[in-house]
Amino acid sequence: MESPLAALLWRSLRIYQVFGANTEPIPSDASVLARCREHASERARAGKGWLFMETAGGVHSPGPSGTTQADMYTPLRAPVVLIGDAKLGGISQTIASFEALRIRGYDVQSVMLFQDTTYQNYLYLADYFLQKYSIPVMSLQAPPERLQNEARDVEAMKEYYEQRTEENVVKTVLEHLDQSHTKRLARLDSMATKAHETIWYPFTQHEHLPAKDIMTIDSAHGDYFQTYNAQSPEDGGALRASFDGSASWWTQGLGHANPQLTMAAAYAAGRYGHVMFAGAIHEPAMALAETLLQGTGNSRLTRVFYSDNGSTGTEVAVKMGLRAARVRYGWGPHEKLGVLGLRGGYHGDTIGAMDCAEPCVYNENIEWYEGKGYWFDYPTILCKDGTWQVTAPAGLEEELGRPREYASLRHIFDVQGRERENQHRLYEEFIVGKLEALRAQGRKFGALIMEPIVLGAGGMAFVDPLFQRTLVQVIRRSPHLFTSEPGVRARTEASKQWSGLPILFDEVFTGLYRLGRFTPSTFLGVEPDVAVNAKLLTGGLVPLSTTMASEDVFDVFRSADKADALLHGHSYTAHPIGCQVGLESLAMMRKMEKRGAWDWAKRQGWVAAPPTPASRKTAAEDAEVWSVWPLDLVETLSRRAARVDGVWALGSVLAVHLRDEAGAGYSSTAALAVREALAKGEADGPNGPWNVHARVLGNVIYLMASQTTTREGVEKLSDLLVNSLQ
Amino acid sequence: MESPLAALLWRSLRIYQVFGANTEPIPSDASVLARCREHASERARAGKGWLFMETAGGVHSPGPSGTTQADMYTPLRAPVVLIGDAKLGGISQTIASFEALRIRGYDVQSVMLFQDTTYQNYLYLADYFLQKYSIPVMSLQAPPERLQNEARDVEAMKEYYEQRTEENVVKTVLEHLDQSHTKRLARLDSMATKAHETIWYPFTQHEHLPAKDIMTIDSAHGDYFQTYNAQSPEDGGALRASFDGSASWWTQGLGHANPQLTMAAAYAAGRYGHVMFAGAIHEPAMALAETLLQGTGNSRLTRVFYSDNGSTGTEVAVKMGLRAARVRYGWGPHEKLGVLGLRGGYHGDTIGAMDCAEPCVYNENIEWYEGKGYWFDYPTILCKDGTWQVTAPAGLEEELGRPREYASLRHIFDVQGRERENQHRLYEEFIVGKLEALRAQGRKFGALIMEPIVLGAGGMAFVDPLFQRTLVQVIRRSPHLFTSEPGVRARTEASKQWSGLPILFDEVFTGLYRLGRFTPSTFLGVEPDVAVNAKLLTGGLVPLSTTMASEDVFDVFRSADKADALLHGHSYTAHPIGCQVGLESLAMMRKMEKRGAWDWAKRQGWVAAPPTPASRKTAAEDAEVWSVWPLDLVETLSRRAARVDGVWALGSVLAVHLRDEAGAGYSSTAALAVREALAKGEADGPNGPWNVHARVLGNVIYLMASQTTTREGVEKLSDLLVNSLQ
């Protein structure tokens, strides 16, 4: 499903999907989902009642597109009545069919089957489903054998139905379904209030979060949440398709509830559960490490350290970097070391990761926070009034005079071409000047840590790649700027790899195809010594982080003394589920890249002629700069000069920087009106109500697609966004 | 399976499980697994070849115990040939059967079915399995209809078989299986070396980890890993059952690869994937929060904050505690605040969690570590030479003279009875004395953080619960010891709940039934203001942590200013898979508690008469102190005075403190010999080779069972442990 499709839930009309475990497959229609919804909607307008939608064939019988029906019907999220199989082998088939539904998030509310007196499947199944899932199994005496004499057959069947009516089995089933329906609605209705009383939300000022503003998510599929609409009338759908505009905090790459990722997770759970990871190896951790090292194409990186999230992965990176620098420069363990970074950088919320960010209103109130470093200003990119510009900060600005304009984003990203034109000289002078001043102050640094290309949480700042490239290059050739000890320059030059300071890239947000490439470091044309990944690493399913490092850095921790080791770890380090899902998710994205799955996006004004599969090179060699958001949309929005300061798009990210007279930044409220307009969405789309759940960063509103979003999905969203900015 | 059972893998003999999707169920035997293994072992001794073990019935046809066969055969871990179904509805049945196997960790290597010309299931399935799983589907022309004339039927079948032989289909299948077998062995054989070159291990001095010491885990089931034995001869099994003696870093509660947890994980994956958790609520997060708050029975706790692991959960707790104290006492944001804790406490490896631990050889080498607090000495419990004793540290020791002896562990845990005997007075004086001295030094503290009952990573120190109870009580009644500002006492007394300092319990290791109870705080009879859980929270499957807090603490962060909020969060905060698995896992353990599933353990000398289900009270009221490890085992081991200093057991933990002339602690090597003996295990058990994978903490060797370990399993382990300590 590419277009938003609201799931089926009405207050009065009770809707069920009836899956047979062994019924006959019949041909079906490509728009079957839309028609199901349309029909349900009509029926609900007609009044209360029941609607049972029987599927054709077994749970995994192919639908019209070839997708099996268990996968096809998931967006509708109707509760399920499963028709079990009373025949020989029917226990196995009924349970296997149930599981196929369950692992796709269906709520099977009842299992019904005939009472076969020979096999008595219903007795076993009644016990099985009650014990394991608290699901009642309803069984009916099987109908009589078909009689040759038609009149007598009709008579026999009539009698059969009368007996069943007396038994009240069907009534019992309906009552059970009715109770479940009422319970489901009541639970959805109460959750926001209960959450308001019970949950302590991340990053949230609860004083600003009334219960009514808490979004109740019933389920999610593809790029859309299915959210509960507490105000929906009796004859309106109670669930709404809501585009997950933040890609669930930038984690989603292959769509919510992707069945391939579910199967990967379940396979690892079934094979290992979790196994501890000190001095042990298992297949998913091994294969994922191999895939990552090979995928980055970074000749420096040889080691993979696993942890649980971007914040822990950053702490690991910083421990690596600081130690390497300290040993290289001969500093003592209690030397006060900082990191170099970029202003507005963000690396996570554990204290060590926080300490890598400069003090600001949002961290300096935290008791143990202590910003440890120096953070550079940097030039940023925006499309303003239809033109791509690089705006330099104070210090650099004076010399450039005014923003430099470029013919296209591609021209800005041609960092080697710009170097040939000496555009980096000014950057070099600026950086060297700062580093010399810091050395003069006696400050010591152990690493550079930065997010390549985009500083996400810092307000979707789109950094000039030439600046980041120059920063790395200056640091690497300037060990003398980090120590006054003579001879250290010789030592660092004799090193296998790193020089100056270890370069740590936080690719948690920008890595693994978020910006269109396996690693964003290829935009810069420089290789970090340590790289942190998370978010898209598991395709948006479970927490997992990797910190990759060079052998050079790794070797610093080797000694006869255990205390010299990197003494960091978590209980679920390299948990097989995360690794297996990571493996599957990277394999899927790499396959998409290879087969040119994003060529449609590249042709939206970004790239004249995407390479043919034959001419396609590796990601690292690919000079393409493109987005799933059309160039035309970026330019159109950038011309709304009254409200818009500038726009950029890259990979699956679109960021609109809004004008705010009161000033930009995190405290700005300029983007809230746009967010509200997006949240209104369409109350009456052909597939039911839908809207966009967007998150803002101060004066910036952004939309993030997944790597599986289609052109049709993007077009719908683009139209809504353009209208929201009228 | 309770006894260790090595999985089926021989170098020469190729062994396969053949699952039919639609074959006939036949009666089977209770010892079918052992017999499969025995037969395979005999066959392997007889030489090279093939062994196909055909199951009876479909994948989910019930085995003799009622467990379905897909679950029953998992410990054998034989690769699978799935016989597909060519009939009407067979696509659905074949895929559903495949998925039932896949989510249990089976490797299906081939699907075989007949070519039905009407339905052509084989065409669809060949494409499906190749595209999605790279699994080849082999199809054979169906045999001719059975003929009435027997001679002609035999002739027809003969002709049929001859044609098939010409087609070479079976040969192709065998070649494919052969290649997979060789590949599997080669991969297992290479993994330790590859891991040695590629993985950066947690907590590991790589100089001490040669490739040969890296354990290759093929899979895990129940309490056992299946590990690869690189030295196994041609006729010996290449996999070994290895008891997971550290419960995979203390995470396992319901056995590895528990199918109920797999289904829970897969259901959440299929329903949501992950959905972001700011200002939103979903069912698993809501229900888990409710279950936890209700389960603790702690009247103070009303709020649940989700994060990813014990370390992040601790950082959240500390941020909560420090802020609450700072606001209460009117300190500025840059006031230097410490925490109170216990010597040897450990709370995780992110910098903020590290800073809660006292400086020692294993953290003071970390660049940004800075121990922030004061850490108390404390009295510890051990069973020495058959007697339970409490040994006090210096300071307390002088007054007690010598270790105090008790009739039983239960007597030590009767903290209220001991208070009536004034045994806490000495503790009080000691604690007040220290706090007064610290105030005199001008030091300021914002929270008490400690692990109730057991300091795990700190060397399995078993703390006198009366000391921890007294510490909390002294702090709560002594706000004057934390500030010299007049009037603050009145302010703290007017508070709804916390007084003195917020009390934070790190229950990451000790919580959720690890020590036999939902929360270990009931042993102390005091309620913390903030409690951190992780590890067993997800039954040992995926990372997840909760930090529960009181409304009092929560309210401190409410204001009109966003910057006053608790600005902490992770991308996968409250990820539905973790929450759903947590929900399932807690439900399973609570059910076990209610139905008296651990009564057999209690009767092993710990509790005279476990309460009947009728007389059973809630966990919080339950005064039982027991372990799955028999009291007799503890006493026996404690009498090995030449090697053993003392022993304790509680819940599923058994810790043996060994004598070390060179001194106890993390650098001791005293436990290594015992670990080696356990690692030898039995080369020739009735179910194949098995051993114990134990981890040591300096001079301490511990074994940790899961909450589903049976008496039989414990007995086997006890015997091995006693022998290992000869």
Side-chain angles (χ1 to χ4, degrees), chain B residues 138-399:
Chain B
M138 310 293 186
S139 58
L140 287 166
Q141 192 186 308
E145 292 285 321
R146 186 162 194 157
L147 301 174
Q148 297 286 2
N149 179 317
E150 199 172 320
R152 285 190 55 194
D153 189 55
V154 168
E155 191 57 36
M157 281 308 290
K158 199 179 149 198
E159 196 183 325
Y160 170 78
Y161 281 122
E162 276 164 7
Q163 282 169 358
R164 299 295 78 70
T165 307
E166 273 171 37
E167 278 172 19
N168 265 346
V169 175
V170 172
K171 198 174 157 224
T172 309
V173 174
L174 288 178
E175 275 169 6
H176 167 71
L177 294 179
D178 197 40
Q179 280 163 14
S180 303
H181 178 80
T182 309
K183 220 166 121 185
R184 182 179 177 204
L185 276 169
R187 177 68 170 175
L188 284 169
D189 218 43
S190 70
M191 273 169 71
T193 306
K194 282 194 180 153
H196 188 255
E197 288 163 2
T198 312
I199 302 292
W200 190 331
Y201 279 106
F203 295 122
T204 300
Q205 176 46 267
H206 280 256
E207 203 66 18
H208 299 163
L209 184 71
K212 70 170 180 53
D213 286 356
I214 294 176
M215 172 171 73
T216 300
I217 301 179
D218 176 72
S219 59
H221 189 269
D223 289 343
Y224 291 86
F225 300 134
Q226 295 290 336
T227 63
Y228 179 64
N229 179 1
Q231 265 72 50
S232 62
E234 288 279 309
D235 62 350
L239 293 178
R240 176 166 46 195
S242 205
F243 178 77
D244 178 5
S246 74
S248 278
W249 273 345
W250 321 348
T251 61
Q252 300 300 302
L254 296 161
H256 289 278
N258 185 306
Q260 272 181 265
L261 298 189
T262 299
M263 285 305 293
Y267 169 72
R271 180 169 171 184
Y272 308 92
H274 167 60
V275 295
M276 64 97 229
F277 197 63
I281 188 68
H282 54 78
E283 179 61 31
M286 188 73 249
L288 181 58
E290 290 170 329
T291 301
L292 281 168
L293 291 171
Q294 197 259 319
T296 59
N298 179 324
S299 63
R300 294 170 181 248
L301 305 178
T302 59
R303 292 278 164 181
V304 179
F305 190 102
Y306 285 100
S307 71
D308 290 348
N309 57 46
S311 193
T312 59
T314 295
E315 295 223 1
V316 169
V318 170
K319 285 179 179 179
M320 290 174 175
L322 296 182
R323 180 71 57 83
R326 178 158 78 76
V327 170
R328 171 79 55 88
Y329 292 120
W331 297 321
H334 300 295
E335 193 81 51
K336 211 176 158 96
L337 295 183
V339 291
L340 295 175
L342 299 190
R343 179 156 289 176
Y346 168 87
H347 307 284
D349 299 323
T350 53
I351 295 292
M354 287 182 74
D355 286 355
C356 294
E358 68 171 339
C360 72
V361 63
Y362 293 106
N363 59 29
E364 58 192 5
N365 207 17
I366 308 282
E367 284 69 20
W368 282 1
Y369 165 74
E370 184 197 337
K372 298 186 173 86
Y374 175 80
W375 297 274
F376 285 91
D377 277 317
Y378 46 86
T380 53
I381 308 168
L382 276 180
C383 181
K384 289 177 176 235
D385 205 9
T387 306
W388 289 95
Q389 305 183 355
V390 173
T391 306
L396 277 168
E397 198 181 27
E398 288 162 48
E399 318 230 8

Side-chain angles (χ1 to χ4, degrees), chain A residues 320-385:
Chain A
M320 290 174 175
L322 296 181
R323 180 70 57 84
R326 178 159 76 76
V327 169
R328 171 79 57 87
Y329 291 120
W331 295 322
H334 300 294
E335 193 82 51
K336 212 175 157 93
L337 296 183
V339 291
L340 295 174
L342 299 191
R343 178 156 289 176
Y346 167 86
H347 308 283
D349 299 323
T350 54
I351 295 292
M354 287 183 73
D355 286 356
C356 295
E358 69 171 337
C360 72
V361 65
Y362 292 106
N363 59 29
E364 58 193 5
N365 206 15
I366 309 282
E367 285 69 19
W368 282 2
Y369 165 74
E370 184 197 335
K372 298 185 173 86
Y374 175 80
W375 296 274
F376 285 90
D377 277 317
Y378 46 85
T380 53
I381 308 167
L382 275 180
C383 181
K384 288 176 177 237
D385 205 9

Side-chain angles (χ1 to χ4, degrees), chain A residues 25 58-60 66 68 77 88 92-93 95 99 102-104 107 124 133 187 191 194 196-208 214-215 217-220 248 252 256-257 263 266-267 269-272 274-283 286 290 293 303-305 308-309 315 319-320 322-323 326 337 349-351 354 365 367-368 535 538 540 543 554 557-561 564-566 568-572 575 693 695, chain B residues 25 58-60 66 77 88 92-93 95 99 102-104 107 124 133 187 191 194 196-208 214-215 217-220 248-249 252 256-257 263 266-267 269-272 274-283 286 290 293 303-305 308-309 315 319-320 322-323 326 337 349-352 354 365 367-368 535 538 540 554 557-561 564-566 568-572 575 693 695:
Chain A
V59 295
H60 269 312
T68 78
R77 182 115 185 98
L88 179 63
S92 181
Q93 282 163 26
I95 297 175
E99 288 186 349
R102 179 94 183 152
I103 65 179
R104 285 166 176 80
D107 287 326
Y124 181 90
Y133 299 99
R187 177 69 171 173
M191 274 168 70
K194 283 194 179 156
H196 189 255
E197 287 162 3
T198 312
I199 302 292
W200 190 331
Y201 280 107
F203 295 122
T204 300
Q205 177 46 265
H206 279 256
E207 203 67 18
H208 300 163
I214 294 176
M215 172 171 73
I217 302 179
D218 176 72
S219 59
S248 277
Q252 299 301 303
H256 288 278
M263 285 304 293
Y267 169 71
R271 180 168 171 184
Y272 309 92
H274 167 59
V275 296
M276 63 97 230
F277 197 63
I281 188 69
H282 55 78
E283 179 61 32
M286 187 73 249
E290 291 171 328
L293 291 171
R303 292 277 164 181
V304 178
F305 190 102
D308 290 347
N309 57 46
E315 294 224 2
K319 285 179 178 178
M320 290 174 175
L322 296 181
R323 180 70 57 84
R326 178 159 76 76
L337 296 183
D349 299 323
T350 54
I351 295 292
M354 287 183 73
N365 206 15
E367 285 69 19
W368 282 2
K535 291 194 189 276
T538 56
F554 175 76
F557 290 79
R558 298 183 73 125
S559 89
D561 188 356
D564 286 334
L566 178 53
H568 190 112
H570 302 280
S571 310
Y572 288 92
H575 58 104
H693 175 263
R695 288 185 62 82
Chain B
V59 295
H60 269 312
R77 181 111 187 103
L88 179 63
S92 182
Q93 283 163 26
I95 297 175
E99 287 186 348
R102 179 94 183 154
I103 66 179
R104 286 165 175 81
D107 286 326
Y124 181 90
Y133 299 99
R187 177 68 170 175
M191 273 169 71
K194 282 194 180 153
H196 188 255
E197 288 163 2
T198 312
I199 302 292
W200 190 331
Y201 279 106
F203 295 122
T204 300
Q205 176 46 267
H206 280 256
E207 203 66 18
H208 299 163
I214 294 176
M215 172 171 73
I217 301 179
D218 176 72
S219 59
S248 278
W249 273 345
Q252 300 300 302
H256 289 278
M263 285 305 293
Y267 169 72
R271 180 169 171 184
Y272 308 92
H274 167 60
V275 295
M276 64 97 229
F277 197 63
I281 188 68
H282 54 78
E283 179 61 31
M286 188 73 249
E290 290 170 329
L293 291 171
R303 292 278 164 181
V304 179
F305 190 102
D308 290 348
N309 57 46
E315 295 223 1
K319 285 179 179 179
M320 290 174 175
L322 296 182
R323 180 71 57 83
R326 178 158 78 76
L337 295 183
D349 299 323
T350 53
I351 295 292
M354 287 182 74
N365 207 17
E367 284 69 20
W368 282 1
K535 293 196 187 274
T538 56
F554 175 76
F557 290 79
R558 298 183 74 124
S559 89
D561 188 355
D564 287 333
L566 178 52
H568 190 113
H570 301 281
S571 310
Y572 288 92
H575 57 103
H693 175 262
R695 288 184 63 82

Side-chain angles (χ1 to χ4, degrees), chain A residues 446-466:
Chain A
L448 168 74
I449 178 163
M450 67 178 179
E451 301 146 274
I453 308 295
V454 182
L455 275 62
M460 291 291 170
F462 194 26
V463 187
D464 183 357
L466 183 60

Side-chain angles (χ1 to χ4, degrees), chain A residues 145-365:
Chain A
E145 292 285 321
R146 183 159 196 160
L147 300 173
Q148 296 286 2
N149 179 318
E150 198 171 322
R152 286 191 54 195
D153 189 54
V154 168
E155 191 58 35
M157 282 307 290
K158 198 179 151 201
E159 193 182 328
Y160 170 78
Y161 282 121
E162 276 163 6
Q163 282 168 0
R164 299 296 80 69
T165 307
E166 276 171 35
E167 277 172 18
N168 266 347
V169 175
V170 172
K171 197 172 158 228
T172 309
V173 174
L174 289 180
E175 274 169 7
H176 167 71
L177 295 178
D178 198 38
Q179 279 163 15
S180 303
H181 178 79
T182 308
K183 219 166 123 186
R184 182 180 178 203
L185 276 169
R187 177 69 171 173
L188 285 168
D189 218 42
S190 69
M191 274 168 70
T193 305
K194 283 194 179 156
H196 189 255
E197 287 162 3
T198 312
I199 302 292
W200 190 331
Y201 280 107
F203 295 122
T204 300
Q205 177 46 265
H206 279 256
E207 203 67 18
H208 300 163
L209 183 71
K212 71 170 180 53
D213 286 356
I214 294 176
M215 172 171 73
T216 299
I217 302 179
D218 176 72
S219 59
H221 189 267
D223 290 342
Y224 290 85
F225 300 132
Q226 294 291 336
T227 63
Y228 178 64
N229 180 1
Q231 265 72 51
S232 63
E234 289 280 311
D235 63 347
L239 294 178
R240 175 166 48 196
S242 203
F243 178 76
D244 177 6
S246 75
S248 277
W249 273 346
W250 321 349
T251 61
Q252 299 301 303
L254 297 160
H256 288 278
N258 185 305
Q260 271 181 264
L261 297 188
T262 299
M263 285 304 293
Y267 169 71
R271 180 168 171 184
Y272 309 92
H274 167 59
V275 296
M276 63 97 230
F277 197 63
I281 188 69
H282 55 78
E283 179 61 32
M286 187 73 249
L288 181 58
E290 291 171 328
T291 302
L292 281 167
L293 291 171
Q294 197 260 317
T296 58
N298 179 325
S299 62
R300 292 169 183 247
L301 304 178
T302 60
R303 292 277 164 181
V304 178
F305 190 102
Y306 285 100
S307 70
D308 290 347
N309 57 46
S311 194
T312 59
T314 295
E315 294 224 2
V316 169
V318 171
K319 285 179 178 178
M320 290 174 175
L322 296 181
R323 180 70 57 84
R326 178 159 76 76
V327 169
R328 171 79 57 87
Y329 291 120
W331 295 322
H334 300 294
E335 193 82 51
K336 212 175 157 93
L337 296 183
V339 291
L340 295 174
L342 299 191
R343 178 156 289 176
Y346 167 86
H347 308 283
D349 299 323
T350 54
I351 295 292
M354 287 183 73
D355 286 356
C356 295
E358 69 171 337
C360 72
V361 65
Y362 292 106
N363 59 29
E364 58 193 5
N365 206 15

Side-chain angles (χ1 to χ4, degrees), chain A residues 378-664:
Chain A
Y378 46 85
T380 53
I381 308 167
L382 275 180
C383 181
K384 288 176 177 237
D385 205 9
T387 307
W388 290 94
Q389 304 184 354
V390 174
T391 306
L396 277 167
E397 198 181 29
E398 288 163 47
E399 318 229 12
L400 278 172
R402 56 179 184 74
R404 195 190 276 261
E405 297 189 349
Y406 291 83
S408 74
L409 184 58
R410 171 72 191 277
H411 284 80
I412 297 175
F413 272 71
D414 178 14
V415 289
Q416 291 177 359
R418 289 171 64 198
E419 270 179 0
R420 286 190 294 274
E421 291 173 15
N422 279 320
Q423 289 186 26
H424 64 302
R425 289 285 172 227
L426 195 62
Y427 293 166
E428 263 181 8
E429 283 166 29
F430 174 80
I431 294 161
V432 169
K434 289 291 178 197
L435 290 177
E436 282 172 346
L438 290 164
R439 185 183 58 174
Q441 292 163 25
R443 295 187 62 180
K444 290 195 168 67
F445 297 94
L448 168 74
I449 178 163
M450 67 178 179
E451 301 146 274
I453 308 295
V454 182
L455 275 62
M460 291 291 170
F462 194 26
V463 187
D464 183 357
L466 183 60
F467 181 84
Q468 292 192 319
R469 175 182 166 89
T470 306
L471 182 56
V472 171
Q473 289 180 333
V474 168
I475 288 172
R476 286 200 162 144
R477 66 165 185 256
S478 313
H480 61 283
L481 290 176
F482 304 106
T483 178
S484 46
E485 202 214 328
V488 86
R489 180 156 194 164
R491 208 155 70 229
T492 196
E493 280 171 356
S495 140
K496 274 183 290 181
Q497 294 178 326
W498 75 265
S499 171
L501 292 179
I503 306 298
L504 325 179
F505 277 6
D506 171 351
E507 304 187 4
V508 170
F509 164 44
T510 56
L512 306 175
Y513 298 104
R514 179 56 73 205
L515 302 184
R517 297 187 181 182
F518 195 96
T519 166
S521 66
T522 59
F523 287 118
L524 308 185
V526 291
E527 295 181 330
D529 302 294
V530 176
V532 187
N533 285 104
K535 291 194 189 276
L536 274 176
L537 177 59
T538 56
L541 207 57
V542 286
L544 185 75
S545 177
T546 54
T547 306
M548 285 186 278
S550 70
E551 204 68 9
D552 221 19
V553 170
F554 175 76
D555 282 342
V556 172
F557 290 79
R558 298 183 73 125
S559 89
D561 188 356
K562 172 150 191 192
D564 286 334
L566 178 53
L567 297 168
H568 190 112
H570 302 280
S571 310
Y572 288 92
T573 297
H575 58 104
I577 292 184
C579 293
Q580 188 80 40
V581 169
L583 204 54
E584 184 72 23
S585 141
L586 292 182
M588 287 166 78
M589 291 194 288
R590 296 187 77 187
K591 264 191 213 162
M592 292 178 76
E593 183 178 38
K594 273 197 192 143
R595 73 161 191 264
W598 301 308
D599 284 352
W600 66 268
K602 297 176 186 176
R603 285 196 207 94
Q604 297 177 118
W606 296 105
V607 176
T612 61
S615 74
R616 193 172 297 281
K617 299 173 189 172
T618 67
E621 293 165 339
D622 194 341
E624 291 175 1
V625 178
W626 58 275
S627 171
V628 299
W629 304 96
L631 178 59
D632 184 47
L633 172 70
V634 172
E635 292 179 353
T636 302
L637 294 174
S638 80
R639 290 200 182 90
R640 299 274 158 87
R643 292 185 66 184
V644 174
D645 185 39
V647 185
W648 66 263
L650 187 65
S652 54
V653 190
L654 172 75
V656 183
H657 293 244
L658 295 157
R659 287 198 188 283
D660 186 347
E661 297 309 316

